[in-house]
Amino acid sequence: MEILIRPDVNAVAQKAADILEYYARRGKTLGLATGSTPNPTYQELIRRHKDEGLSFADCRAFLLDEYYGLPRDHEQSYYSTIRREFTSHIDIDDALVKSPDGTNPDYQAAVEQYDQAIIDAGGVDIQILGVGTNGHIGFNEPSSSLNSLTRIKTLHPQTVADNARFFDSEADVPRHVLTQGLGTIQRARHLMLLATGEGKADAVQALAEGPLSAMCPASILQWHRHATVIVDEAAASKLVNTEYYRYTDANKPEGQPH
Ligand code: GLP
Protein backbone atom coordinates (compact mmCIF):
# COMPACT_ATOMS: atom_id res chain seq x y z
CA MET A 1 0.00 0.00 0.00
CA GLU A 2 1.31 3.39 -0.95
CA ILE A 3 0.53 6.19 1.49
CA LEU A 4 0.81 9.73 0.17
CA ILE A 5 0.62 12.56 2.68
CA ARG A 6 -0.26 15.97 1.27
CA PRO A 7 -0.45 19.32 3.06
CA ASP A 8 -4.14 20.00 2.63
CA VAL A 9 -7.43 19.09 0.97
CA ASN A 10 -6.52 20.87 -2.25
CA ALA A 11 -3.24 19.00 -2.63
CA VAL A 12 -5.02 15.69 -1.99
CA ALA A 13 -7.51 16.58 -4.75
CA GLN A 14 -4.69 17.49 -7.17
CA LYS A 15 -2.91 14.18 -6.65
CA ALA A 16 -6.12 12.15 -6.87
CA ALA A 17 -7.10 14.02 -10.05
CA ASP A 18 -3.67 13.29 -11.56
CA ILE A 19 -4.20 9.58 -11.01
CA LEU A 20 -7.76 9.64 -12.33
CA GLU A 21 -6.67 11.65 -15.36
CA TYR A 22 -4.22 8.86 -16.21
CA TYR A 23 -7.13 6.40 -16.35
CA ALA A 24 -9.55 8.80 -18.06
CA ARG A 25 -7.05 9.38 -20.88
CA ARG A 26 -7.05 5.63 -21.49
CA GLY A 27 -10.87 5.34 -21.52
CA LYS A 28 -10.90 3.14 -18.45
CA THR A 29 -13.72 2.12 -16.14
CA LEU A 30 -13.96 4.37 -13.11
CA GLY A 31 -15.34 3.28 -9.76
CA LEU A 32 -16.92 6.38 -8.25
CA ALA A 33 -17.73 7.18 -4.64
CA THR A 34 -20.05 9.68 -3.06
CA GLY A 35 -19.60 11.34 0.32
CA SER A 36 -18.01 14.76 0.71
CA THR A 37 -14.35 13.68 0.54
CA PRO A 38 -14.02 13.09 -3.23
CA ASN A 39 -15.86 16.31 -4.16
CA PRO A 40 -12.74 18.53 -4.42
CA THR A 41 -11.23 15.85 -6.69
CA TYR A 42 -14.36 15.86 -8.84
CA GLN A 43 -14.23 19.67 -9.00
CA GLU A 44 -10.63 19.54 -10.17
CA LEU A 45 -11.51 16.95 -12.85
CA ILE A 46 -14.44 19.11 -14.01
CA ARG A 47 -12.02 22.04 -14.23
CA ARG A 48 -9.56 19.99 -16.29
CA HIS A 49 -12.42 18.91 -18.54
CA LYS A 50 -13.55 22.49 -19.10
CA ASP A 51 -10.17 24.26 -19.21
CA GLU A 52 -7.87 21.58 -20.58
CA GLY A 53 -10.19 19.37 -22.63
CA LEU A 54 -9.75 16.30 -20.47
CA SER A 55 -12.31 13.89 -21.90
CA PHE A 56 -14.22 11.07 -20.25
CA ALA A 57 -16.08 10.17 -23.45
CA ASP A 58 -14.51 6.70 -23.60
CA CYS A 59 -15.01 5.94 -19.90
CA ARG A 60 -17.79 4.22 -18.07
CA ALA A 61 -18.45 4.34 -14.34
CA PHE A 62 -19.86 2.29 -11.50
CA LEU A 63 -20.93 3.72 -8.17
CA LEU A 64 -20.06 2.00 -4.91
CA ASP A 65 -23.40 2.09 -3.21
CA GLU A 66 -26.94 3.42 -2.99
CA TYR A 67 -29.60 4.00 -0.35
CA TYR A 68 -32.33 1.38 -0.52
CA GLY A 69 -35.85 2.61 -1.08
CA LEU A 70 -34.93 6.19 -2.01
CA PRO A 71 -36.28 7.22 -5.45
CA ARG A 72 -33.52 7.94 -7.96
CA ASP A 73 -34.69 11.54 -8.32
CA HIS A 74 -34.41 12.16 -4.54
CA GLU A 75 -31.62 14.68 -4.16
CA GLN A 76 -29.79 12.48 -1.64
CA SER A 77 -29.91 9.30 -3.72
CA TYR A 78 -26.37 8.51 -4.82
CA TYR A 79 -27.73 8.25 -8.38
CA SER A 80 -28.59 11.97 -8.21
CA THR A 81 -25.62 12.96 -6.05
CA ILE A 82 -22.93 11.68 -8.40
CA ARG A 83 -24.60 13.42 -11.34
CA ARG A 84 -24.93 16.69 -9.44
CA GLU A 85 -21.37 16.60 -8.06
CA PHE A 86 -19.53 15.18 -11.04
CA THR A 87 -20.79 13.27 -14.04
CA SER A 88 -23.31 15.78 -15.44
CA HIS A 89 -20.44 18.30 -15.72
CA ILE A 90 -18.18 16.12 -17.88
CA ASP A 91 -18.62 14.32 -21.20
CA ILE A 92 -19.13 10.78 -19.92
CA ASP A 93 -22.15 9.01 -21.44
CA ASP A 94 -24.84 9.27 -18.74
CA ALA A 95 -26.22 5.83 -19.65
CA LEU A 96 -22.83 4.37 -18.71
CA VAL A 97 -22.87 5.79 -15.18
CA LYS A 98 -24.30 2.86 -13.25
CA SER A 99 -25.37 2.44 -9.65
CA PRO A 100 -27.12 -0.30 -7.68
CA ASP A 101 -30.89 -0.07 -8.23
CA GLY A 102 -32.16 0.93 -4.81
CA THR A 103 -35.71 1.13 -6.16
CA ASN A 104 -36.00 -2.55 -7.16
CA PRO A 105 -38.35 -4.30 -4.69
CA ASP A 106 -36.39 -7.48 -5.43
CA TYR A 107 -33.12 -6.36 -3.90
CA GLN A 108 -31.51 -9.75 -4.35
CA ALA A 109 -32.01 -9.48 -8.10
CA ALA A 110 -30.75 -5.89 -8.04
CA VAL A 111 -27.46 -6.76 -6.35
CA GLU A 112 -26.80 -9.80 -8.52
CA GLN A 113 -27.48 -7.76 -11.67
CA TYR A 114 -25.07 -5.12 -10.44
CA ASP A 115 -22.16 -7.46 -9.83
CA GLN A 116 -22.81 -9.05 -13.20
CA ALA A 117 -22.88 -5.65 -14.93
CA ILE A 118 -19.44 -4.85 -13.49
CA ILE A 119 -18.08 -8.19 -14.68
CA ASP A 120 -19.66 -7.75 -18.13
CA ALA A 121 -17.99 -4.35 -18.42
CA GLY A 122 -14.60 -5.96 -17.82
CA GLY A 123 -14.28 -4.84 -14.20
CA VAL A 124 -13.38 -1.56 -12.57
CA ASP A 125 -9.91 -0.17 -13.37
CA ILE A 126 -9.68 2.39 -10.58
CA GLN A 127 -11.94 2.56 -7.57
CA ILE A 128 -12.16 5.79 -5.58
CA LEU A 129 -12.92 5.25 -1.91
CA GLY A 130 -13.67 7.46 1.04
CA VAL A 131 -13.71 6.06 4.55
CA GLY A 132 -16.27 6.35 7.33
CA THR A 133 -15.20 7.39 10.81
CA ASN A 134 -15.76 3.76 11.84
CA GLY A 135 -13.59 2.43 9.01
CA HIS A 136 -16.39 1.55 6.59
CA ILE A 137 -15.91 1.71 2.84
CA GLY A 138 -18.88 1.91 0.54
CA PHE A 139 -21.45 0.93 3.12
CA ASN A 140 -19.54 -2.09 4.38
CA GLU A 141 -19.86 -1.57 8.10
CA PRO A 142 -17.51 -3.11 10.71
CA SER A 143 -17.92 -6.91 10.80
CA SER A 144 -18.62 -7.08 7.04
CA SER A 145 -17.37 -10.25 5.39
CA LEU A 146 -14.01 -9.59 3.80
CA ASN A 147 -15.14 -11.47 0.70
CA SER A 148 -18.69 -10.12 0.42
CA LEU A 149 -20.35 -9.30 -2.89
CA THR A 150 -22.87 -6.53 -3.56
CA ARG A 151 -25.73 -6.92 -1.10
CA ILE A 152 -28.24 -5.17 1.15
CA LYS A 153 -26.89 -3.89 4.48
CA THR A 154 -28.33 -2.21 7.54
CA LEU A 155 -26.51 0.99 8.39
CA HIS A 156 -24.58 1.31 11.63
CA PRO A 157 -26.17 3.93 13.93
CA GLN A 158 -22.88 5.88 13.70
CA THR A 159 -23.24 6.07 9.92
CA VAL A 160 -26.88 7.14 10.20
CA ALA A 161 -25.76 9.90 12.57
CA ASP A 162 -22.82 10.88 10.31
CA ASN A 163 -25.07 11.09 7.23
CA ALA A 164 -27.96 12.89 8.95
CA ARG A 165 -26.39 16.19 7.88
CA PHE A 166 -27.50 15.50 4.32
CA PHE A 167 -31.15 14.97 5.31
CA ASP A 168 -33.73 17.11 7.13
CA SER A 169 -33.41 14.93 10.21
CA GLU A 170 -31.78 11.70 11.37
CA ALA A 171 -35.17 9.99 11.08
CA ASP A 172 -35.11 10.62 7.32
CA VAL A 173 -31.84 8.73 6.72
CA PRO A 174 -32.68 5.38 5.09
CA ARG A 175 -31.69 2.44 7.30
CA HIS A 176 -30.87 0.12 4.42
CA VAL A 177 -28.46 0.37 1.53
CA LEU A 178 -27.17 -1.66 -1.40
CA THR A 179 -23.40 -1.67 -1.42
CA GLN A 180 -20.62 -3.30 -3.36
CA GLY A 181 -19.12 -5.88 -1.05
CA LEU A 182 -15.53 -5.97 0.14
CA GLY A 183 -14.94 -8.81 -2.32
CA THR A 184 -16.47 -6.77 -5.14
CA ILE A 185 -14.32 -3.78 -4.29
CA GLN A 186 -11.18 -5.91 -4.20
CA ARG A 187 -11.79 -7.00 -7.79
CA ALA A 188 -11.02 -3.45 -8.93
CA ARG A 189 -7.49 -3.28 -10.33
CA HIS A 190 -6.45 -0.20 -8.38
CA LEU A 191 -7.95 1.11 -5.15
CA MET A 192 -7.46 4.77 -4.28
CA LEU A 193 -8.69 5.82 -0.84
CA LEU A 194 -8.95 9.50 0.07
CA ALA A 195 -9.27 10.87 3.60
CA THR A 196 -9.08 14.44 4.84
CA GLY A 197 -9.55 16.12 8.19
CA GLU A 198 -8.78 15.22 11.77
CA GLY A 199 -12.04 13.31 12.11
CA LYS A 200 -10.62 10.59 9.86
CA ALA A 201 -7.27 10.26 11.66
CA ASP A 202 -8.26 7.21 13.75
CA ALA A 203 -9.80 5.44 10.75
CA VAL A 204 -6.69 6.12 8.64
CA GLN A 205 -4.35 4.82 11.32
CA ALA A 206 -6.48 1.69 11.75
CA LEU A 207 -6.80 0.94 8.04
CA ALA A 208 -3.13 1.49 7.26
CA GLU A 209 -1.36 0.28 10.38
CA GLY A 210 -3.89 -1.81 12.30
CA PRO A 211 -4.65 -5.47 11.66
CA LEU A 212 -6.42 -6.66 8.52
CA SER A 213 -9.80 -7.07 10.12
CA ALA A 214 -13.52 -7.11 9.38
CA MET A 215 -13.80 -4.60 12.22
CA CYS A 216 -12.04 -2.11 9.96
CA PRO A 217 -13.40 -2.84 6.47
CA ALA A 218 -10.98 -0.34 4.90
CA SER A 219 -8.08 -2.51 6.08
CA ILE A 220 -8.74 -4.71 3.01
CA LEU A 221 -6.50 -2.25 1.19
CA GLN A 222 -3.61 -4.02 2.94
CA TRP A 223 -4.55 -7.18 1.05
CA HIS A 224 -4.88 -5.56 -2.36
CA ARG A 225 -2.16 -5.67 -5.02
CA HIS A 226 -2.42 -2.01 -5.93
CA ALA A 227 -3.69 0.36 -3.27
CA THR A 228 -3.00 4.06 -2.90
CA VAL A 229 -4.03 6.06 0.16
CA ILE A 230 -3.96 9.84 -0.18
CA VAL A 231 -4.43 11.84 3.01
CA ASP A 232 -3.92 15.38 4.24
CA GLU A 233 -1.74 16.16 7.26
CA ALA A 234 -4.77 16.22 9.57
CA ALA A 235 -5.96 12.76 8.53
CA ALA A 236 -2.35 11.50 8.74
CA SER A 237 -1.84 12.86 12.24
CA LYS A 238 -2.21 9.50 14.03
CA LEU A 239 -0.06 7.46 11.63
CA VAL A 240 3.12 6.06 13.17
CA ASN A 241 5.24 5.11 10.18
CA THR A 242 5.07 8.53 8.49
CA GLU A 243 8.81 8.99 8.01
CA TYR A 244 8.86 5.97 5.72
CA TYR A 245 5.75 7.06 3.80
CA ARG A 246 7.27 10.47 3.13
CA TYR A 247 10.59 8.91 2.15
CA THR A 248 9.06 6.47 -0.35
CA ASP A 249 6.84 9.23 -1.77
CA ALA A 250 9.92 11.39 -2.38
CA ASN A 251 11.98 8.53 -3.84
CA LYS A 252 9.56 6.83 -6.20
CA PRO A 253 11.27 4.81 -8.94
CA GLU A 254 11.46 6.59 -12.32
CA GLY A 255 8.74 5.67 -14.77
CA GLN A 256 6.40 4.03 -12.26
CA PRO A 257 3.04 5.50 -13.25
CA HIS A 258 0.60 5.33 -10.33
C1 GLP B 1 -20.71 7.43 3.28
C2 GLP B 1 -20.44 6.67 1.97
C3 GLP B 1 -19.01 6.30 1.84
C4 GLP B 1 -18.16 7.48 2.24
C5 GLP B 1 -18.30 7.75 3.71
C6 GLP B 1 -17.53 8.97 4.20
O1 GLP B 1 -21.52 6.77 4.19
N1 GLP B 1 -21.26 5.54 1.75
O2 GLP B 1 -18.75 5.91 0.49
O3 GLP B 1 -16.81 7.19 1.99
O4 GLP B 1 -19.64 7.81 4.10
O5 GLP B 1 -18.16 10.15 3.81
P1 GLP B 1 -17.44 11.55 3.83
O6 GLP B 1 -16.48 11.55 2.71
O7 GLP B 1 -18.55 12.54 3.61
O8 GLP B 1 -16.80 11.69 5.16
Side-chain angles (χ1 to χ4, degrees), residues 25 43 81 94 114 117 121 124 133 135 160 176 184 187 210 228 239:
R25 286 193 180 282
Q43 282 155 20
T81 302
D94 187 67
Y114 197 61
V124 168
T133 52
V160 173
H176 296 105
T184 323
R187 288 176 182 162
T228 308
L239 289 169

Side-chain angles (χ1 to χ4, degrees), residues 34-37 64-65 78 130-132 136 138-139 159 163 165 200:
T34 47
S36 46
T37 308
L64 268 182
D65 47 11
Y78 285 170
V131 61
H136 76 239
F139 272 128
T159 306
N163 288 3
R165 66 189 192 279
K200 298 293 172 67

Side-chain angles (χ1 to χ4, degrees), residues 1-77:
M1 180 166 33
E2 185 180 28
I3 299 179
L4 306 175
I5 302 171
R6 293 292 179 270
D8 53 28
V9 169
N10 184 44
V12 169
Q14 291 295 329
K15 181 63 191 174
D18 288 348
I19 294 176
L20 286 162
E21 176 170 343
Y22 172 90
Y23 287 95
R25 286 193 180 282
R26 289 160 178 78
K28 297 290 187 181
T29 297
L30 313 176
L32 302 180
T34 47
S36 46
T37 308
N39 285 345
T41 302
Y42 295 150
Q43 282 155 20
E44 173 59 13
L45 289 170
I46 293 165
R47 190 199 66 73
R48 292 183 193 190
H49 169 65
K50 296 199 164 134
D51 296 351
E52 298 165 12
L54 175 62
S55 176
F56 297 81
D58 295 330
C59 295
R60 55 169 65 224
F62 287 93
L63 258 188
L64 268 182
D65 47 11
E66 179 60 282
Y67 289 112
Y68 188 61
L70 217 51
R72 282 193 154 168
D73 61 4
H74 189 290
E75 63 167 8
Q76 290 308 325
S77 77

Side-chain angles (χ1 to χ4, degrees), residues 54 90 98 114 170 183:
L54 175 62
I90 55 172
K98 304 283 191 194
Y114 197 61
E170 200 167 309

